Amino acid sequence: MSAATETETAVTGPMVRLRDLSVTFSGGRKPVHAVSGVSLEVQRGEVVALIGESGSGKSVTMRTLLRLHPERRTRMGGQVQVAGRDVLAMSQRELADFRGKVASMIFQEPLLALDPVYSVGAQIVESIRRHESVSQAEAQQRALALFERVRIPSPERRLQAYPHEMSGGMRQRAMIALALACKPQLLLADEPTTALDATVQIQ
């Protein structure tokens, strides 16, 4: 397949393609088969909701799209493609370029997902500058605009706050801002409005 054809396939094919995905965790008394035989496609511009009871494998499936499971204790099988790229075959360098820019995730528990030793604003600025050639000042302005977009009050001051200094709802909004920072092609949302009040959930 030529380079031109590969690019065309990445653009015209589905955004997400899972074929017979299986995920097994080891390290305990016996292996845990968390996901087995999952197949789905998500087209560009399409919104798909995974619905199931707690423990059915929804979060495991989404985290597999970013290959976030512990490498040594996880066995993944099947086909996992995002934007025409084989996620399971990516090197660590390729994964670092892929996460945040091509695909990003709003995690269910922001306090565990955000780095506790850096301010939230610094984490957003770092993410933007990791993937784009912009100045510190420009990245800072974009971080501020994102905080305004998710309606965080006193956004200039909140950019300097550490995760533990924010309420649960505020951290959730900051997590959404971080996930959107690099304008990803694919946005994964793991119960993104759990900590928000009803009015903000509707917004």
Side-chain angles (χ1 to χ4, degrees):
M1 182 180 290
S2 68
T5 306
E6 287 179 354
T7 303
E8 183 179 331
T9 301
V11 172
T12 59
M15 190 67 218
V16 174
R17 176 183 281 129
L18 296 180
R19 284 287 179 270
D20 199 27
L21 172 67
S22 64
V23 180
T24 302
F25 299 117
S26 60
R29 296 181 61 182
K30 61 180 181 179
V32 176
H33 303 287
V35 170
S36 179
V38 173
S39 297
L40 64 86
E41 287 189 359
V42 181
Q43 303 301 323
R44 293 173 183 272
E46 186 177 16
V47 177
V48 173
L50 297 181
I51 300 173
E53 62 186 19
S54 180
S56 61
K58 303 183 299 298
S59 296
V60 171
T61 299
M62 284 197 292
R63 292 174 71 89
T64 302
L65 292 171
L66 290 173
R67 225 174 87 193
L68 291 174
H69 306 304
E71 297 283 344
R72 294 183 179 181
R73 295 189 290 109
T74 307
R75 186 171 71 253
M76 294 173 285
Q79 183 185 62
V80 181
Q81 288 187 343
V82 175
R85 300 174 63 184
D86 184 351
V87 176
L88 300 186
M90 287 182 185
S91 66
Q92 290 301 317
R93 177 67 179 272
E94 289 172 326
L95 281 171
D97 293 337
F98 170 78
R99 295 168 180 157
K101 184 61 177 177
V102 178
S104 189
M105 186 166 179
I106 303 169
F107 295 93
Q108 187 173 355
E109 182 42 75
L111 190 59
L112 300 178
L114 295 168
D115 194 321
V117 301
Y118 294 100
S119 69
V120 177
Q123 294 180 58
I124 295 176
V125 167
E126 180 185 9
S127 177
I128 293 171
R129 299 194 71 195
R130 167 66 179 77
H131 294 288
E132 300 179 33
S133 299
V134 299
S135 66
Q136 177 81 15
E138 184 178 345
Q140 190 79 20
Q141 282 301 311
R142 281 179 52 179
L144 177 60
L146 284 162
F147 265 33
E148 292 171 345
R149 184 178 177 184
V150 296
R151 303 191 180 185
I152 290 181
S154 305
E156 298 90 344
R157 182 165 58 87
R158 295 294 183 183
L159 280 174
Q160 310 306 317
Y162 290 84
H164 72 273
E165 297 176 322
M166 302 174 115
S167 67
M170 203 79 71
R171 281 194 298 269
Q172 191 76 55
R173 298 190 213 189
M175 179 81 257
I176 293 171
L178 177 59
L180 295 174
C182 295
K183 303 174 184 176
Q185 299 177 48
L186 173 67
L187 182 63
L188 306 168
D190 192 358
E191 299 189 26
T193 61
T194 298
L196 303 180
D197 60 66
T199 302
V200 178
Q201 285 186 21
I202 294 169
Q203 292 170 351

